Amino acid sequence: MYSKITRIKAREILDSRGNPTVEVDVYSKSKRGREEVPSGASTGIHEALELRDKGKRYLGKGVLKAVNNVNKKIAPRLRNKNCANQKLIDDLMLDLDGTANKRKLGANAILGVSLASCRLASKIQRKPLYKYIGALFNNKRFTLPTPYMNIINGGKHADNRLQFQEFMIVPKFKTFKESLRAGSETYHVLKKLIGKKYGKSSTNVGDEGGFAPNLNKVREPLKLITKAVNELGYGRRIKIAIDAAASEFYSRKGYLVDDKYLTQNKLLKVYESLVDEFPIISLEDPFSQDDSEGFVSITESLGRKVQIVGDDSLVTNVERIKKAVELKACNALLLKVNQIGTLSEALDAAKLAMDNNWNVMVSHRSGETSDSFIADLAVGIGCGQIKSGAPCRSDRLAKYNQLLRIEEELGR
Ligand code: PGA
Ligand code: ZN
């Protein structure tokens, strides 16, 4: 089958926050793979570099340099290469960049090409994307993931006073379709409860489609969510997950929670009591990205009951995951393709985590597009978990809706 890359074309488009991002088309004759690159707000300091133009245009956020790097530097290097050889494509770009954090070409430039090549190859082989990724990952067990839906937004994703960034519901029903339905119902009941208690303007939404009422105590959103779940009678079938994104409320004074600065140990006590009180099954970034002591202490104390997910601390980076495995600093990996910048490296990160009996959760970014690649990624690697924000806003639903299609195709 003809799978040589004949042309690559990148352009600047806008993401869900209205900021520029990179879109890449990779062609093999008349066939095309197109991918759009997401962008975070609460980014980890160890992430691969997202290249932005600086200067006046788009208030410094333009990505024309990254676009130019795709069109002028990456495209000639990859012309006539086999798009079905993912490793080769990614290695050639790593080589061309030559830096540890992809600062020369930009991780946003490299990722767009990496994902679009994969999409193109799946089209040429006439395979659904999840099956194609499954083959790359040596996986044939295509499981639909449990959705982690962020229905109350705080931290950097909202203009309220909530320090914890994400309050998620985790519907665990037999099918994905049923989980999505129960999640959506909960979302709408929650809207009613928030409107009643805090007034209509409190139901405005944050970057990931969740409500962003002006609450400032961590228990308040958890109580509201519990009330919504109970009103629907879903009791035990809907669990709760938190992404504290603690790097964002950590300073030399300590962790700022509920208007007080807490020590590492006091914060651990807060998590322990929340886990006692609410049906929490997953805690992401409970401590700051370089506070490995905090991560080790919580994994030791809660790790048997609760999944401790590393996002900013691991940044989908094999070397950082290796260290965390040694330290027992986590028991789950948040998998974000743009944190590392190529599909091959992201798959290596997932493999390493799974080989060490960690859980893996595929994740969107707070700045997203209508691209649904990560839905196929989650099914392809069979990791069983995805977070893509609230069941609201097309950028979030693009992924959940794609999962509905995949489930239908798999006949479940
Ligand atoms: P980000 O947030 O995309 O803004 O980094 C998502 C997360 O922290 O999981
Ligand atoms: Zn996170």
Side-chain angles (χ1 to χ4, degrees):
M1 237 174 295
Y2 192 88
S3 53
K4 277 187 190 165
I5 292 174
T6 49
R7 192 160 88 91
I8 299 181
K9 170 89 182 84
R11 65 184 64 79
E12 184 182 60
I13 59 163
L14 296 188
D15 72 10
S16 58
R17 276 194 280 250
N19 291 327
T21 191
V22 179
E23 175 175 88
V24 179
D25 295 342
V26 178
Y27 288 89
S28 182
K29 288 187 175 164
S30 62
K31 290 215 162 47
R32 183 191 74 198
R34 169 173 291 169
E35 284 299 320
E36 296 160 3
V37 176
S39 171
S42 67
T43 46
I45 51 172
H46 306 288
E47 291 191 24
L49 184 110
E50 180 182 71
L51 192 59
R52 299 247 174 223
D53 299 339
K54 305 207 174 86
K56 260 179 138 175
R57 237 184 122 256
Y58 280 116
L59 308 171
K61 291 199 165 138
V63 291
L64 291 183
K65 283 183 189 160
V67 164
N68 201 47
N69 286 344
V70 174
N71 293 337
K72 300 276 161 57
K73 293 180 182 157
I74 297 176
R77 190 80 185 85
L78 295 188
R79 195 163 300 133
N80 288 326
K81 298 291 183 292
N82 179 4
C83 68
N85 190 342
Q86 190 68 43
K87 183 91 177 74
L88 172 78
I89 299 291
D90 291 342
D91 282 350
L92 284 172
M93 288 192 285
L94 292 186
D95 191 52
L96 192 61
D97 178 83
T99 68
N101 67 347
K102 303 182 176 68
R103 65 177 179 276
K104 203 161 144 212
L105 297 172
N108 41 353
I110 295 173
L111 182 71
V113 177
S114 179
L115 300 184
S117 302
C118 172
R119 171 85 68 182
L120 172 63
S122 76
K123 273 193 181 173
I124 292 172
Q125 294 184 14
R126 294 209 174 87
K127 273 190 193 158
L129 185 59
Y130 65 90
K131 277 197 184 147
Y132 183 81
I133 294 171
L136 286 180
F137 199 66
N138 258 327
N139 173 49
K140 285 193 186 125
R141 284 193 50 228
F142 301 122
T143 41
L144 267 294
T146 299
Y148 282 63
M149 299 172 167
N150 179 11
I151 60 175
I152 295 188
N153 295 186
K156 272 214 164 166
H157 298 165
D159 292 321
N160 55 16
R161 285 146 68 216
L162 269 178
Q163 256 90 33
F164 286 7
Q165 180 179 279
E166 302 173 16
F167 295 85
M168 293 172 269
I169 46 167
V170 190
K172 291 192 167 212
F173 288 69
K174 252 205 183 128
T175 60
F176 178 80
K177 197 166 145 185
E178 290 292 284
S179 294
L180 184 61
R181 176 184 55 74
S184 160
E185 290 167 3
T186 309
Y187 180 81
H188 290 288
V189 170
L190 181 66
K191 179 174 184 174
K192 188 191 73 186
L193 294 177
I194 292 175
K196 233 195 220 161
K197 191 158 178 194
Y198 302 99
K200 283 259 178 271
S201 63
S202 299
T203 56
N204 293 333
V205 300
D207 288 357
E208 299 191 348
F211 304 113
N214 201 15
L215 314 176
N216 64 344
K217 296 272 193 293
V218 295
R219 276 181 174 73
E220 286 177 75
L222 294 168
K223 283 184 194 156
L224 283 165
I225 289 173
T226 308
K227 201 163 174 209
V229 169
N230 289 341
E231 197 171 309
L232 285 157
Y234 286 141
R236 273 184 277 155
R237 279 183 293 175
I238 296 189
K239 308 287 187 201
I240 294 176
I242 290 175
D243 177 6
S247 309
E248 304 295 337
F249 55 86
Y250 174 73
S251 69
R252 254 197 257 146
K253 289 192 224 162
Y255 290 97
L256 182 63
V257 176
D258 290 359
D259 297 327
K260 275 190 257 105
Y261 285 101
L262 305 182
T263 60
Q264 184 194 83
N265 198 258
K266 284 260 166 62
L267 182 58
L268 174 64
K269 296 278 174 271
V270 171
Y271 291 124
E272 286 172 348
S273 69
L274 292 179
V275 167
D276 264 351
E277 245 174 274
F278 299 95
I280 294 171
I281 58 162
S282 179
L283 285 172
E284 180 181 328
D285 280 359
F287 292 95
S288 180
Q289 52 210 339
D290 287 322
D291 186 354
S292 37
E293 218 181 271
F295 270 95
V296 170
S297 67
I298 196 165
T299 304
E300 164 137 21
S301 127
L302 293 174
R304 271 174 301 274
K305 269 208 264 184
V306 175
Q307 159 175 279
I308 307 295
V309 187
D311 171 13
D312 289 357
S313 61
L314 303 174
V315 294
T316 314
N317 180 317
V318 161
E319 295 311 318
R320 297 188 69 84
I321 298 167
K322 274 186 197 154
K323 271 189 213 143
V325 166
E326 260 169 49
L327 288 172
K328 296 197 173 76
C330 281
N331 57 27
L333 165 72
L334 196 75
L335 189 71
K336 288 171 163 169
V337 279
N338 82 323
Q339 276 182 330
I340 190 68
T342 64
L343 179 61
S344 301
E345 288 168 290
L347 294 180
D348 286 348
K351 188 120 216 92
L352 177 63
M354 288 178 184
D355 285 349
N356 284 285
N357 296 318
W358 280 20
N359 295 339
V360 174
M361 185 190 300
V362 166
S363 171
H364 67 156
R365 297 308 302 249
S366 51
E368 267 294 336
T369 66
S370 51
D371 194 302
S372 61
F373 191 97
I374 60 163
D376 286 77
L377 176 64
V379 178
I381 66 171
C383 65
Q385 305 186 55
I386 190 168
K387 72 166 187 173
S388 175
C392 180
R393 309 277 142 174
S394 305
D395 38 311
R396 310 299 140 187
L397 285 163
K399 287 71 168 171
Y400 294 139
N401 288 339
Q402 173 65 0
L403 289 165
L404 289 175
R405 293 179 205 109
I406 296 176
E407 185 166 67
E408 186 181 287
E409 186 176 306
L410 290 170
R412 304 209 175 128

